[in-house]
Each structure stands twice: as structure tokens, then as C-alpha cells.
């Protein structure tokens, strides 16, 4: 999307300032319900709760502003905002299957998407098949007569495998499937899956969209018809909507989305550039890196990468690896990503946890997220710590 369009969406779209004293920042309409002046208004509201103000489990004016902006950012007709990314993902999937039906999902989804299919929906008679999404023949082969959904996550957020979005949308259309994608990695700034024919675009709003590590939120962008269907069923019955105050925080975060993701993108590429020739580095995972097997496809579908990449280091021993991790000071050791602060997840932390299997990833593997700090300052920290390897 051209920067001019982004400017309009992020600064003005959906903001009818004459409704609230011409305030620049929209108010938090912190109310549970709305009153009607007469029966005519009452009846109109109950004919269509999505477009009237009845009760804040449904439509709330602060949330409404956010919905309009997010739909425009993804180039879809409408959007819904949820209490978490997991809530948005589960609403999208549950809305489009019933008992006896089947979901095809790329093989390495976010952990709670995995749990939704494997532990939750299986109890309600919905089956699934995980496929290697980098191989279109496997995607085709997994589709059965009762398949209803093709679920994509491209790239994923650990090793960044990519699915060909246009080809997947075409295959799905041939079989009458609904396509959905977890687009959290790219944010709407770097990839718009609806342009390739994907039906439902999902985000963990907790990551780049809010971007300040202080709200958990989820986003669902789709056609007007799909949004209405999910609003009237999954959102209203499960009650998994965002609260007005959190919506106002996300709106504030959204103002700087392009600045933030471009900064993280540039800084991550700077650090990857430093790491790639270092003798203690075995392998780098980053979708635009020259060693990435799907680089060409990544560059066709995506306009940038953001702050995530992974590294396999050469460490003499587990003790050395632990010393390396412990001497990194400018990255916080934490899950999640997409905020202002740089983070790392060292796989060695998942080794030797009582009652848990060791992970498939080697203990030399670290997933980094680069935030908004000075990249030279971050690199200094990694470089110094690498002396322990
Ligand atoms: C964090 C994350 C989610 C889940 O979002 P929540 O807001 O934590 O519920 C889903 N997908 C991806 C890729 C994520 O990183």
C-alpha cells in the first residue's frame, strides 16, 4: 500500500471528530450499554446490532474506529477486534466448520492454533491434517470431500516457512474452501493476503499492531458478509471482544505502525548482516536472506520482514551456550515480540524441563526479535556475548 494511503488511514479514517468536541484523540467510550430515545431507534438497533449501538459486547464506538482502520489497512470490507489473537483465530475457524468436517493447516502454526485443532476442535468432531505448506502438491493431496478450511500462517515466527498465497487461494477456490491466514509476522504494512485472494486475514494485535507490549488483542479482517456472520455468532456468543480502553491503546499504537515495523526491519537486517560472516554462526533464518530457500517467493509476496530472525550458533558445549545467553544484557529473555523492546527465546531454555519432551530444535538455536533500540548498541551486546561460545 502506498505511504499516502497509509497516512490517511492512520491519521483520519473512521474519526468523526465533530461527534466528540473536535478532540484530536478519540474518547474511550467506557460504557457497557447505550440508551434509546424512542421505540423507532430501539427497533432499528435490534435489527442490526453490528451497525448500531446496543451493548459493548457487540459494537462500541471506540472499537468501531479501530475496525475501520484495520479493514482499510488489509484491504478488506470490514474487520472485528478481539480480546486476543487466539480469540480472533478461534472465532474464524469455529465459524467455518461443524462436526464431521475437516481443516487443512500448514504444519508449523502458532502453538495455540495447533492446540485449537489438536485438542479443542477434535472434541467437537472436527478433524484436521497438517501439511508441508511449502509444497503445493501436499496441500492439494490433503483436501478431502469434507474439508472446509485451508489455514495458512506465512511466514511462521520461528523458522519462517512461507506458503504461496495466490496458489493456495486458487487451490482452495477450486474446492470451495475458506482460506485464512495468520498474518501477524508481516503486519498489514508488509503483506496484504487479501490481495492474493485469501478470505480471512488474522493478526495477533498484541504484536506489531499495538506494538508497545501493554495490550493483548486480536484482529480479523474479511468481507462484510463474513464479518457479519462471525459477529452474530462467535463474537456475540463467546463474548471474546476487546474492551474499549484496550481498543484506545491499540489505536494509539497503530498511529506509528509503519515507522515501527520499518525500523525493526532495517535493524534486523543490519544485525543479520553482522552475524552472517561470524565464525560462531552456523545458520541464519530470515525470509529475505540470500540463504533462505524461499527467498524469491518471500520477495514476491512481502514488502519487508520486520524484526524477527533466528540463528543457530556454533557452541562448544551446553555450558558455553548458557554462558552466552546469560551474558546478553540488552535483549530481554521473553516470549512474544512486536513491541518496542528487543527479545530473545533461546531453545536451550526448553531443554530439561521436568515433565516435558526436549524440543526438535537444537539447543544452539535462538529466535531474536529486534525492537526500536539503536541497532549498533544491540549488536555490541551480541558480539561481546559470543566470546563465550
Ligand atoms: C502471539 C501470536 C498469536 C496469538 O496472539 P495472542 O494475542 O497472544 O492471543 C498468534 N499467532 C502468532 C503468529 C503469534 O505470534
Amino acid at each position: 500500500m502506498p505511504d499516502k494511503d497509509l497516512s490517511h488511514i492512520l491519521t483520519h479514517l473512521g474519526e468523526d471528530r465533530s461527534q466528540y468536541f473536535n478532540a484530536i484523540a478519540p474518547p474511550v467510550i467506557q460504557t457497557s450499554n447505550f440508551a434509546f430515545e424512542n421505540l423507532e431507534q430501539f427497533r432499528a438497533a435490534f435489527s442490526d446490532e453490528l451497525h448500531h449501538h446496543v451493548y459493548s459486547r457487540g459494537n462500541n464506538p471506540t472499537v468501531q474506529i479501530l475496525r475501520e482502520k484495520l479493514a482499510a489497512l488489509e484491504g478488506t470490507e470490514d474487520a472485528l477486534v478481539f480480546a486476543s489473537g487466539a480469540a480472533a483465530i478461534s472465532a474464524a475457524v469455529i465459524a467455518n466448520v461443524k462436526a464431521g468436517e475437516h481443516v487443512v493447516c500448514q504444519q508449523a502454526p502458532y502453538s495455540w492454533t495447533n492446540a485449537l485443532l489438536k485438542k479443542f476442535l477434535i472434541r467437537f468432531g472436527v478433524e484436521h491434517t497438517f501439511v508441508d505448506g511449502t509444497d503445493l502438491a501436499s496441500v492439494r493431496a490433503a483436501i478431502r470431500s469434507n474439508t472446509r478450511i485451508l489455514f495458512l500462517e506465512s511466514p511462521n515466527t520461528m523458522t519462517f516457512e512461507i506458503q504461496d498465497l495466490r496458489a493456495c487461494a486458487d487451490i482452495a477456490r477450486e474446492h470451495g474452501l475458506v482460506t485464512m491466514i495468520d498474518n501477524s509476522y508481516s503486519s498489514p504494512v508488509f503483506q496484504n493476503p487479501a490481495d492474493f485472494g485469501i478470505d480471512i486475514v488474522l493478526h495477533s494485535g498484541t504484536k506489531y499492531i499495538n506494538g508497545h507490549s501493554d495490550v493483548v488483542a486480536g484482529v480479523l479482517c474479511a468481507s462484510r458478509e463474513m464479518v457479519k456472520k462471525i459477529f452474530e455468532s462467535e463474537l456475540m456468543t463467546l463474548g471474546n471482544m476487546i474492551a474499549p480502553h484496550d481498543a484506545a491503546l491499540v489505536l494509539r499504537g497503530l498511529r506509528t505502525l509503519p515507522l515501527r515495523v520499518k525500523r525493526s526491519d532495517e535493524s534486523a537486517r543490519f544485525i543479520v548482516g553482522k552475524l552472517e560472516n561470524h565464525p560462531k554462526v552456523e545458520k541464519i533464518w530470515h525470509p529475505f536472506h540470500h540463504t533462505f530457500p524461499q527467498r524469491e517467493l518471500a520477495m514476491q509476496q512481502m514488502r519487508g520482514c520486520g524484526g524477527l530472525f533466528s540463528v543457530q550458533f556454533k557452541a562448544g558445549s551446553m555450558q558455553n551456550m548458557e554462558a552466552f545467553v546469560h551474558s546478553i544484557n540488552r535483549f530481554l529473555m521473553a516470549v512474544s515480540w512486536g513491541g518496542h523492546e528487543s527479545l530473545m527465546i533461546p531453545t536451550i531454555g526448553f531443554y530439561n524441563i521436568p515433565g516435558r519432551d526436549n524440543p526438535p530444535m537444537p539447543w544452539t538455536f535462538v529466535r531474536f526479535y529486534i525492537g526500536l533500540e539503536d541497532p549498533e548498541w544491540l549488536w555490541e551486546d551480541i558480539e561481546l556475548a559470543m566470546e563465550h561460545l
Side-chain angles (χ1 to χ4, degrees):
M1 175 179 302
D3 284 351
K4 278 186 193 167
D5 293 349
L6 277 178
S7 301
H8 171 70
I9 294 167
L10 296 176
T11 317
H12 299 299
L13 185 75
E15 298 180 71
D16 186 356
R17 299 190 170 99
S18 64
Q19 296 277 327
Y20 40 84
F21 308 103
N22 293 315
I24 302 289
V28 184
I29 307 290
Q30 188 72 28
T31 187
S32 56
N33 49 350
F34 300 84
F36 307 104
E37 286 171 19
N38 53 49
L39 286 171
E40 198 185 336
Q41 280 187 3
F42 188 100
R43 291 190 181 110
F46 279 97
S47 73
D48 180 8
E49 274 201 60
L50 180 58
H51 298 101
H52 291 84
H53 298 126
V54 177
Y55 189 64
S56 284
R57 174 154 36 77
N59 195 14
N60 172 282
T62 309
V63 178
Q64 172 72 28
I65 297 172
L66 192 54
R67 285 178 44 212
E68 284 188 42
K69 289 185 191 291
L70 291 164
L73 286 172
E74 282 295 8
T76 58
E77 289 173 348
D78 206 346
L80 294 170
V81 191
F82 290 83
S84 70
I89 291 167
S90 55
V93 173
I94 294 168
N96 288 287
V97 277
K98 58 181 191 298
E101 294 181 338
H102 175 249
V103 178
V104 174
C105 181
Q106 69 85 18
Q107 67 191 355
Y110 178 69
S111 47
W112 294 99
T113 305
N114 191 61
L116 171 71
L117 297 172
K118 262 173 128 160
K119 296 190 180 152
F120 188 95
L121 284 175
I122 205 86
R123 293 198 281 121
F124 299 92
V126 175
E127 299 186 314
H128 60 270
T129 306
F130 289 110
V131 293
D132 176 357
T134 67
D135 176 19
L136 293 170
S138 314
V139 174
R140 273 184 198 283
I143 298 171
R144 308 180 192 161
S145 57
N146 62 342
T147 306
R148 290 292 170 267
I149 294 175
L150 176 59
F151 193 101
L152 310 175
E153 183 179 323
S154 179
N156 68 45
T157 55
M158 272 303 205
T159 45
F160 317 114
E161 285 81 16
I162 283 168
Q163 295 101 59
D164 183 328
L165 302 188
R166 196 180 299 280
C168 285
D170 289 348
I171 293 171
R173 199 166 300 113
E174 276 171 39
H175 294 87
L177 315 185
V178 176
T179 43
M180 44 191 89
I181 183 170
D182 183 333
N183 197 34
S184 304
Y185 172 98
S186 299
S187 89
V189 176
F190 288 148
Q191 178 170 271
N192 297 121
D195 291 350
F196 300 98
I198 303 294
D199 299 313
I200 305 181
V201 183
L202 301 156
H203 288 275
S204 167
T206 315
K207 313 296 163 56
Y208 290 128
I209 286 175
N210 179 59
H212 292 71
S213 305
D214 51 8
V215 175
V216 176
V219 175
L220 183 159
C221 299
S223 68
R224 218 167 271 128
E225 189 187 2
M226 181 64 79
V227 161
K228 191 162 160 43
K229 165 172 138 161
I230 296 172
F231 173 83
E232 286 174 353
S233 177
E234 283 64 32
L235 190 139
M236 290 302 281
T237 49
L238 300 176
N240 42 17
M241 77 300 163
I242 194 168
H245 188 257
D246 280 351
L249 287 171
V250 175
L251 204 46
R252 163 187 274 222
L254 199 61
R255 306 273 188 206
T256 54
L257 176 68
L259 294 177
R260 291 185 284 102
V261 296
K262 287 175 192 171
R263 166 77 172 181
S264 285
D265 185 28
E266 281 166 22
S267 300
R269 289 195 223 195
F270 168 84
I271 293 173
V272 164
K274 294 287 187 189
L275 284 165
E276 69 188 350
N277 298 317
H278 196 285
K280 296 285 182 192
V281 170
E282 180 78 43
K283 187 173 172 188
I284 291 175
W285 285 260
H286 180 278
F288 281 13
H289 193 251
H290 66 87
T291 59
F292 191 73
Q294 295 177 287
R295 178 171 189 261
E296 209 176 305
L297 178 61
M299 296 192 69
Q300 279 168 27
Q301 298 184 165
M302 295 153 60
R303 296 179 287 268
C305 289
L308 290 171
F309 64 87
S310 297
V311 183
Q312 191 176 336
F313 291 97
K314 291 177 189 160
S317 64
M318 274 183 122
Q319 282 83 353
N320 289 1
M321 192 64 199
E322 290 187 2
F324 164 69
V325 168
H326 283 139
S327 58
I328 290 188
N329 299 313
R330 297 175 186 174
F331 289 74
L332 300 171
M333 184 162 30
V335 299
S336 197
W337 50 276
H340 53 285
E341 77 292 4
S342 292
L343 303 170
M344 63 171 173
I345 301 182
T347 314
I348 200 166
F350 291 109
Y351 277 71
N352 306 324
I353 299 180
R356 240 182 115 131
D357 291 339
N358 285 340
M361 241 82 96
W363 47 264
T364 48
F365 183 97
V366 181
R367 200 279 305 273
F368 288 96
Y369 166 71
I370 306 300
L372 306 180
E373 306 93 328
D374 175 35
E376 303 258 8
W377 181 77
L378 293 172
W379 167 243
E380 261 172 32
D381 192 38
I382 300 179
E383 192 179 26
L384 202 62
M386 282 168 84
E387 287 174 15
H388 292 278
L389 295 172

